[in-house]
Structures are given as structure tokens and as C-alpha cells.
Amino acid sequence: MKRTVPMIIAATTGFVLIMSHFIPLSEEWGSKAMQWFNVLAAIAFVLGGSNLMRMNLQKISDRRPGWGYAAVTLIAFLVTLSVGLLKVGVQPTSSFPTNAWAAPYNQEGSSLWWLYEYLYKPLASTMFALLAFFIASAAFRAFRAKNPEAIALLSTAFIVLMGRTYVGGLMRDILPRGMEWLSFDSMTNYIMGVFNLAGMRAITIGIALGVASTSLKVLLGVDRSYLGSGDD
Amino acid sequence: MEREKLFWTALMLLGGLFLAGRAAMVGNGRVYVQAETIAETDAGPVVHHRGVPPSQRSEANVSLSWPRTIGLWVAAFCTLGIMSFVLGDNPFYKLMESIFVGVSAAYLMVAGFWDELVQNLFKSIVPGLMRNSFLPGLEEGLQPDLTYLAPLLMSIMMLWRLAPKGAWIARWPLAFFIGATAGFRLVSYLESDFVQQINNTILPLIVYTADESFDVWGSLRNSLVVVGVLLGLVYFFFSVPHRGVVGGLARGGVWLLMITFGASFGYTVMGRIALLADRLQFLFDDWLWLIDPTMQRMGM
Amino acid sequence: MYQFLKTLDRRWIFLLILLAVAIPIYWGWQFPERPSPMVRSVFEAIENLPDGSHVWMAYDYDPGAQGELHPMAFAFTRQCALKHHKMYFMTLWPQGPPMIQENIDLLKREFPDLTYGEDYVNLGYRPGYEGPIKLAVTDLRSTIAADVDGTSLDDMPMTADVKNIQEMDLIINTSAGYPGTKEWVLYASTPYNIPTVAGCTGVQSPYLYPYVPRQLNGLLGAIKGAAEYEFLLLEAYPELRENPNAREALRRMGPQLLAHLVIIALIIVGNIVYFVGRSRGDM
């Protein structure tokens, strides 16, 4: 019951979706399965949020180190959730001027929009921008031309870095006619369209085979890792 | 250590003084909005406020928005807070990180609720109720689609994971999710990333141009692509020991992959720099008004 | 010098990269571009469509990637508007709707003659990763029944007769990761032969080259691709030259140049330190 039923559910769903690809009559079933899938994907957000709340509550109640930050996370979570679900500050739209509930939850000027625009947006974008500093530090400390392969990697990186700037194309004007392919931008285009393409294609084909075999193992019940190891 | 502390304190003090002076003299970091009546109702007009460039501040219905101005300053401090991580882990960064985690998790929940649960799940199960509340645009007389009771039930089972007992119940919807993912990926990956990729690699090794002359570059390009893909595949084929001819070919595959990773590194650097430039542009332009590349404050 | 570089505090490197990005932004450095064949193919895929074609604008990114993708998304939107294509905006990222909204605001501001619901529509976000693609390619209404304002698709002229994405003349995807370009190729472009072009982040670009040109008509790689694309757009549509917003990516190429040179210098200096250290027996 605890392990067999889920295996049957996974296999049935998977084979229905495979069938729907080949047999037009079963297309409707595949479509239905995808609609249910989308609902579960949305529920996964609810589950994730609830889990975050539970973990942080536990951290606060246990007074574990850093519980103050857990409290901040919890407050930010609850405030965002409340203003988003209650559509605080949302104005009706011209389509339904008497019903504010019909308006988008992230409408410009609403409280959720404010939180997104002035908290989430700067925090998320700066978080990723931060990597520019660390990639520069890694360039200085870690990229060593220790062997021929590393030299190949570094040389390619050098050409691509030059080729993806204004300087990369400048060489074109200096080089003699017929030798323009030696300019950094031409070499970059060639590297990307030939060597990178070939390497990535080999990786893509390998991944495709990996995905197909893993999927088959799941559907045939060979891979049951998603069921966990315990009884409960 | 004490000297370092003193340095940073002095730097922050100077920065604060600069900000205060600039805000007092230039009035930077202000946000203006324009009121726009979009409909008239019995309860009065429905007014929307949309942000406008500061250069339009003297136009009709334009006023300073305090919530948005405060927001902009908060955004600037959030940016600086995250950036402070380059100096090492610190309470300011940790505070920002905590806010980020809380806001983003809740935002996902809100988006999932309104965009899928209301728009598709509840709309299908109780269309009448949704029409009278959140979705007035729904057509009248829409019949309930009871097949949606299945994902509703699975949703409840999935949330059971949070209960102290019976977490195994959540395995059923999880199995559905995993099975569906395996089902649609199996076919699509084979079609697009296996068969089609092989198809894309079947290229003429001798290429002629439109005027039937021999195309050296085209031929070289195609030959390198075909050989390159084969070398890469040999490297990933671990069922045969990489010795002798196979070893030589696999070594060629390694070289090809090194070039590929070098290119990836170059592109990654390009991406990260672009993100940093975006943040600095926000600080210089929107917040400090040091630059005005989009002429938002022309004539001010 | 060797000792100084060997024990260099990484905060000096951080300061160097900060200055390399900040100085060109402050001084507003800009350079002309030489569009690559790949960027030209993207431009032509949109340009060669007959005016008023139906284009699916799948903008799958969030603020984490806006620095790279906003400029190209805006450029895509401008070109489609100039060609009077019908634009159907949608995102598979929960944080994506405000990104789309900025494109809608652009259309309202720069192309006031275009009408919402007739020339462009905002279909918002749908959860389910690649799930909504799989549904929308066969039956749009099974996943999206209304726009973000709740107006039914049947009540808008440009959506009333659209059954699915197969009816689109082109898919334009701007992607920051999963779900994104790869998923559009896997579930829409490849099985249904829908012409598709994409613009993506630097991290993703190399991975998407194997799909060009048979599964993807063209690809804009990060900010450089966007700058070249903007350059082509400004060449083809001189009326845009007066619009400073249409040069967003071109402006970013200043910091890009100096920062790339700094990174190259750092790699070279780092290696010199390494080899000197090795010859001295330090490493």
C-alpha cells in the first residue's frame, strides 16, 4: 500500500503520457494528466512555503543560534503572504471596475508590487550580480595553465572574452584582406559555432540518453528512490 | 583589526554625509507618480497611479509618491546590504538574506495560488462561486469539471507531508508528479535531444557554394562538427576502456570539451558583469542621480 | 612585488572589478557593434515575417537575470511593435509577470497607437514548469482561459480565434534557465515545427548552440547579443535613434569591455605569480 500503489501510479501516469504522444485517441488523457500536474506544481509552492515556516518557527522556539534572522524571515514571509493573498492595495481594472478581487495581485501600486519592486527585485538581482566579484577573484587565484588542457581552456576563454567586446572586432580593420578570420570576434563565432557546438551536442546527446534511461527505470519500478527509504 | 574597523566606520560616515548632503541639495531618489482615472463607479472614480520620470513632475496630476520614494531608498540599501558580502559575512548581509528568503517563498505561494489554484483548480470545481468573486470574466453557466477533484485530493495528500504522522500519504501525489515528469521527458528528450541532434550532425563533409565552387570553410566547419561530436561521444562512452585507439579518440574528446568549457567560462563572465552593471546603473541613475542615460531628469 | 601579489587581499580584486564596471557607466562609454551572423538570423526571423504576424512572446526570466535579459526583451518587443505583429506575452516564471508588465508599459508609452487586446495581450504566469507549454501547444484554453485582468480570451479580438500555439508564426523566448528556451525547443519547436528564436543568459548560451539552426532559428547570447541586436534595430529603424531607452544594451558594452580586460589581466597576472612561485619552489 505504502510503496506498491505509488509505483503503480507513477507507471500508469508515465505510460499514459507516452501513449498520448503516439496515439491521438489518448491525447485527451495526456492533456488531463498535464492539467493535474500543473495544479500539483502550484501546490509544491504552498508545501515549500509551509515547510519554511515550520523550520523557522522551530528555530525560534528552540532559540537556536541565528533565531533572530529566522524571525525576520518569518515576518517577511507572513507579511508578503498576507498582502498577496488579500490583494492589499489592489485597485479594480477598467474591465471590472467594481471588483478589486478580479484585478492582478501584483498590480502596480499594490503592497505586493511594492515588496517585489523594492525588496525582492534588488535583493535577487544583487545576489546574482555578486558573483561578478567572486569570478574575478577565482580568475586570479584558480585559473592556472598547469597542463596543455588547461592552456586550451584558458586560451579559449581569452579569445571569447576579447571577442565579446568592442576590441574583438577592431582587429578586423588592422588585419590584411582574407585574414579577417584571425580577429577575435570571428574566432569567437567559429569557436561557438564549431567546437562549442560539437562539445555541447555530445553532452546533449549523453544527457538525453541519461534522461530516457532514468525515466524508464522510474516507470518500470527499477528506480524507487523517490519513495524514500523509511516506512513512513 | 582596530585600524580596519576605524577605516570602515570612517568610510560609512563619509558615505552617509555624502548621501545626506546630496539628498538635501539635489533631492535625488525621489519617485513621482501620475494619477489616472480609469473608470467611474457609483462609489467614485477608480484611480491608478503609474510611475513617471522626474522630468514630468510639474505636469498635471503628477505628485511625489512617498511610499515609492521610501521604497527606492530601501531598494538601494538592500543592494548595498547584499553587496556588503564582499567584505565578508556580516549582520547587514544576513538580514537582507533573511528578508529575501521570506519574501521570495511567500511570493511563489501567492503566484501559485492566484495563477493556478484560482484560475484553473477552483474555477473548474466551483465555477459559479469563482465567477461571483475572483473571476467575473468567466462565461455564465459554466459546468463544474469534476475531474479536477483528483488533483484537489492529491493536493491535500501532498500537504499531508506537513502532518506529524502519515507522511507516506504524500508519496501518492509525488509518484504522480514523478511519473508524469518521466513520461513526457522520455519521449521529448529522445525526439529533440537524441534523434534530432543526430539528424543535425548528418552534414555534408564537402560543401559547394551556390556557384558550385568548393567552399573550404563550410567543408572544414562541417567536418570539424562531425568529428568533434564523435570525439565527444567516445569520451563519454565508458563501457570500453579508454586505451589504444579509443583512448586517443577520448583524449581528443577531452580537448574538445576543454575548449567548450573555456567558451562557457567566457560567456559566464560576460553574464555576471552585465548583472553587476545593472545594479550599479540602478544606484547611479535611479538612486543617486549621478548619471541620466535615459534622460529621465532632463531639464531638472 | 611577487610577495605582494602572492598574498594579495582579494578585496583589492573586488575593488578593481567594481571600478572597471563603475567608471564606464559613470562616463557613459559606448561603442559601435558588428552584428554577428547569429544575431542577424534572429533579427531577420522577426523582420521577414509579414506585418501583423502572430508572435508568442515567452519571457521566462526574473530580476536575477534582468541585467542581461531586459535589454533584449525590450528590443524584441520594439521590433515586433514596429512590424505591427500581434504579441502574446506569457511567462513560466512566477517572478516573471512584472518583467512582462515592463514590456507592456513600454508599448503603452512608445507605441500609443497599439491597442491592448487587439495588438498585444498579457497572459501572465502559469505554474507547472514545462506543463503549460505542453498544454498550450495543443489547446491554449486548457491552461490559460483569461488574461491577467481576468478578461476571457474569447472576449478579445486577437485571442478569440486562437486555438493553440501551433497557430503562431514565431515563438520569441527570453530565458534565464529552467523552464526556458530548452523547454520551448523540446515541447513546441521540435515536435510541432514552430519557428523559434531565443535570447538567453551567458551561462545558458553555449548549451543552446546545438539547437541552431534547425530547432532554433537564431540565438542572442547575453548582453553582447542584445547590443548587436539593438544596433541592427537602430540601423533598420532610424526613428528609434532618438530614444535613449533603445540603447540599453549598447550602453552596457562599456563596462563589459573594461571588466573583460581586467579579468584577462587577472588571469595573466595570476599565472605569472604561479610560474614565478613554481620556479622559486614556493608552490
Side-chain angles (χ1 to χ4, degrees), chain A residues 31 34-35 38 45 95 116 120-121 125 133 141 143-146 161 165 167 169 172-173 192 196 200-201, chain C residues 8 14 17 34 63 66 95 97-98 102 125 128 131 135 142 149 151 206 209-210 257 260 264 270-271 274-275:
Chain A
S31 208
M34 287 314 299
Q35 287 174 353
N38 292 353
F45 292 151
S95 312
Y116 179 93
Y120 180 78
K121 204 166 155 177
S125 48
F133 294 108
R141 292 179 191 282
F143 294 131
R144 301 283 184 253
K146 283 182 180 171
L161 280 171
T165 62
V167 177
R172 232 171 233 274
D173 304 328
M192 295 309 291
N196 167 74
M200 285 302 174
R201 186 164 286 163
Chain C
L8 184 70
F14 295 158
I17 206 78
R34 283 174 203 266
Q66 70 167 33
Q95 305 91 342
E102 288 190 42
Y125 160 67
L135 286 171
S142 63
D149 290 335
T151 311
Y209 265 74
L257 168 65
H260 282 201
I264 289 169
N271 274 285
Y274 169 70
F275 283 111

Side-chain angles (χ1 to χ4, degrees), chain A:
Chain A
M1 180 83 162
K2 287 179 185 176
R3 300 182 78 84
T4 314
V5 176
M7 273 166 53
I8 294 168
I9 291 173
T12 313
T13 315
F15 285 117
V16 162
L17 276 157
I18 293 170
M19 259 166 48
S20 73
H21 194 83
F22 298 101
I23 306 166
L25 280 174
S26 60
E27 219 171 68
E28 189 63 30
W29 294 4
S31 208
K32 199 45 89 184
M34 287 314 299
Q35 287 174 353
W36 298 1
F37 177 88
N38 292 353
V39 172
L40 285 183
I43 285 294
F45 292 151
V46 179
L47 185 65
S50 311
N51 243 330
L52 179 88
M53 202 164 82
R54 194 173 67 167
M55 276 167 54
N56 281 289
L57 274 172
Q58 213 151 36
K59 201 171 177 180
I60 296 165
S61 72
D62 295 351
R63 290 284 191 279
R64 265 185 272 159
W67 68 269
Y69 295 114
V72 172
T73 303
L74 200 63
I75 293 166
F77 176 80
L78 291 173
V79 169
T80 311
L81 190 65
S82 326
V83 301
L85 292 181
L86 299 173
K87 292 196 174 180
V88 176
V90 170
Q91 297 290 320
T93 59
S94 52
S95 312
F96 306 104
T98 53
N99 186 355
W101 285 106
Y105 57 90
N106 47 14
Q107 186 188 64
E108 182 180 350
S110 67
S111 300
L112 187 71
W113 173 86
W114 192 97
L115 290 169
Y116 179 93
E117 196 68 21
Y118 299 121
L119 282 178
Y120 180 78
K121 204 166 155 177
L123 291 172
S125 48
T126 316
M127 201 75 90
F128 287 95
L130 208 57
L131 295 173
F133 294 108
F134 295 102
I135 216 163
S137 174
F140 181 70
R141 292 179 191 282
F143 294 131
R144 301 283 184 253
K146 283 182 180 171
N147 50 44
E149 287 89 344
I151 293 170
L153 189 146
L154 286 176
S155 312
T156 312
F158 172 73
I159 295 168
V160 172
L161 280 171
M162 290 296 279
R164 299 282 84 188
T165 62
Y166 170 65
V167 177
L170 272 184
M171 275 176 76
R172 232 171 233 274
D173 304 328
I174 308 162
L175 288 163
R177 218 178 131 78
M179 299 294 277
E180 292 93 346
W181 62 274
L182 278 173
S183 67
F184 285 120
D185 64 336
S186 292
M187 283 201 282
T188 302
N189 289 341
Y190 216 76
I191 286 171
M192 295 309 291
V194 178
F195 298 102
N196 167 74
L197 181 142
M200 285 302 174
R201 186 164 286 163
I203 293 174
T204 306
I205 291 172
I207 292 174
L209 289 173
V211 169
S213 64
T214 310
S215 300
L216 263 183
K217 275 159 79 178
V218 167
L219 298 183
L220 297 174
V222 180
D223 182 350
R224 303 170 196 180
S225 53
Y226 64 93
L227 296 173
S229 52
D231 271 350
D232 199 71

Side-chain angles (χ1 to χ4, degrees), chain C:
Chain C
M1 189 65 177
Y2 166 72
Q3 274 308 323
F4 169 73
L5 288 171
K6 199 183 151 205
T7 55
L8 184 70
D9 188 332
R10 65 179 185 168
R11 284 177 295 187
W12 287 110
I13 297 171
F14 295 158
L15 181 66
L16 200 63
I17 206 78
L18 183 74
L19 291 174
V21 177
I23 290 170
I25 289 178
Y26 186 77
W27 294 109
W29 294 2
Q30 274 188 58
F31 307 104
E33 289 294 329
R34 283 174 203 266
S36 63
M38 181 69 96
V39 174
R40 277 188 195 282
S41 60
V42 173
F43 181 82
E44 280 158 14
I46 303 170
E47 196 64 17
N48 294 343
L49 287 175
D51 282 16
S53 297
H54 294 249
V55 181
W56 192 263
M57 317 286 275
Y59 284 3
D60 303 324
Y61 66 101
D62 68 348
Q66 70 167 33
E68 284 186 88
L69 301 180
H70 246 1
M72 66 174 79
F74 291 151
F76 280 141
T77 304
R78 279 196 187 95
Q79 191 184 2
C80 288
L82 288 161
K83 287 283 294 174
H84 298 103
H85 293 328
K86 308 279 177 207
M87 292 169 268
Y88 301 79
F89 291 93
M90 186 213 174
T91 180
L92 298 171
W93 283 50
Q95 305 91 342
M99 304 286 112
I100 291 183
Q101 190 55 48
E102 288 190 42
N103 284 273
I104 300 286
D105 293 343
L106 178 152
L107 290 170
K108 285 181 183 163
R109 202 173 51 241
E110 296 180 19
F111 302 91
D113 52 324
L114 299 183
T115 313
Y116 184 83
E118 286 177 27
D119 301 298
Y120 59 95
V121 63
N122 183 358
L123 302 174
Y125 160 67
R126 278 294 169 276
Y129 313 101
E130 54 267 74
I133 307 178
K134 275 201 69 87
L135 286 171
V137 283
T138 49
D139 179 14
L140 182 60
R141 281 162 183 76
S142 63
T143 181
I144 306 169
D147 73 346
V148 286
D149 290 335
T151 311
S152 168
L153 297 192
D154 299 324
D155 296 337
M156 286 181 285
M158 69 180 286
T159 48
D161 297 325
V162 175
K163 286 192 184 68
N164 54 42
I165 297 181
Q166 290 177 58
E167 292 174 15
M168 295 293 135
D169 299 300
L170 183 72
I171 295 172
I172 298 179
N173 178 238
T174 316
S175 156
Y178 172 76
T181 305
K182 189 176 176 79
E183 283 63 40
W184 284 100
V185 169
L186 280 171
Y187 304 106
S189 152
T190 306
Y192 298 99
N193 286 318
I194 309 168
T196 305
V197 293
C200 62
T201 56
V203 176
Q204 268 186 297
S205 297
Y207 294 92
L208 296 171
Y209 265 74
Y211 297 118
V212 182
R214 291 192 187 163
Q215 292 159 280
L216 262 183
N217 295 43
L219 177 71
L220 298 185
I223 199 73
K224 171 73 171 163
E228 291 175 10
Y229 181 68
E230 273 184 2
F231 187 80
L232 280 176
L233 204 57
L234 290 168
E235 253 186 0
Y237 297 96
E239 63 266 37
L240 284 178
R241 289 178 196 165
E242 298 303 310
N243 182 356
N245 291 309
R247 295 175 175 274
E248 191 64 52
L250 285 166
R251 270 196 298 277
R252 297 279 171 77
M253 290 317 289
Q256 216 67 44
L257 168 65
L258 199 56
H260 282 201
L261 293 177
V262 166
I263 301 255
I264 289 169
L266 285 170
I267 294 175
I268 293 170
V269 174
N271 274 285
I272 292 172
V273 173
Y274 169 70
F275 283 111
V276 171
R278 210 163 69 164
S279 67
R280 290 182 183 184
D282 277 3
M283 290 179 192

Side-chain angles (χ1 to χ4, degrees), chain B residues 24-274:
Chain B
M25 285 159 68
V26 183
N28 60 297
R30 294 184 189 194
V31 183
Y32 294 87
V33 290
Q34 186 165 39
E36 192 184 353
T37 305
I38 57 129
E40 292 286 349
T41 64
D42 296 340
V46 178
V47 181
H48 280 198
H49 291 88
R50 63 180 180 87
V52 290
S55 58
Q56 293 178 17
R57 70 192 192 285
S58 45
E59 283 182 16
N61 299 325
V62 174
S63 59
L64 177 75
S65 167
W66 279 109
R68 295 191 197 195
T69 301
I70 294 167
L72 189 89
W73 282 74
V74 169
F77 284 111
C78 285
T79 305
L80 294 177
I82 297 291
M83 276 193 184
S84 71
F85 188 71
V86 296
L87 304 172
D89 207 1
N90 63 73
F92 193 26
Y93 170 78
K94 276 187 181 159
L95 180 72
M96 295 304 155
E97 191 187 43
S98 308
I99 295 172
F100 175 65
V101 173
V103 172
S104 52
Y107 194 88
L108 292 182
M109 262 178 91
V110 171
F113 178 78
W114 288 114
D115 284 331
E116 181 63 34
L117 300 186
V118 169
Q119 292 277 351
N120 283 332
L121 181 69
F122 300 149
K123 181 204 85 177
S124 305
I125 297 172
V126 279
L129 182 65
M130 287 299 113
R131 189 181 142 76
N132 293 329
S133 53
F134 307 133
L135 306 170
L138 273 186
E139 63 180 278
E140 225 174 326
L142 198 69
Q143 290 304 306
D145 178 358
L146 295 179
T147 58
Y148 266 91
L149 287 173
L152 177 70
L153 181 69
M154 283 198 282
S155 300
I156 296 166
M157 291 167 86
M158 203 155 175
L159 292 175
W160 206 282
R161 212 180 169 83
L162 299 166
K165 275 195 170 179
W168 63 271
I169 291 171
R171 281 182 197 158
W172 291 25
L174 185 70
F176 174 85
F177 201 82
I178 299 283
T181 309
F184 63 71
R185 284 201 176 168
L186 175 69
V187 182
S188 299
Y189 270 77
L190 282 180
E191 185 182 15
S192 169
D193 283 10
F194 184 68
V195 177
Q196 194 59 45
Q197 289 304 319
I198 293 171
N199 188 22
N200 291 352
T201 315
I202 301 171
L203 298 164
L205 299 183
I206 295 171
V207 182
Y208 290 97
T209 55
D211 59 357
E212 294 196 357
S213 58
F214 179 57
D215 181 356
V216 183
W217 285 111
S219 305
L220 185 65
R221 182 194 173 278
N222 285 2
S223 306
L224 282 171
V225 168
V226 174
V227 172
V229 173
L230 291 174
L231 290 178
L233 287 174
V234 170
Y235 173 72
F236 286 120
F237 194 68
F238 297 113
S239 302
V240 175
H242 287 184
R243 284 195 297 265
V245 179
V246 177
L249 293 173
R251 184 135 188 86
V254 172
W255 274 82
L256 179 85
L257 290 173
M258 285 297 144
I259 296 173
T260 306
F261 297 146
S264 291
F265 171 72
Y267 265 76
T268 304
V269 169
M270 179 166 56
R272 298 306 174 213
I273 299 295

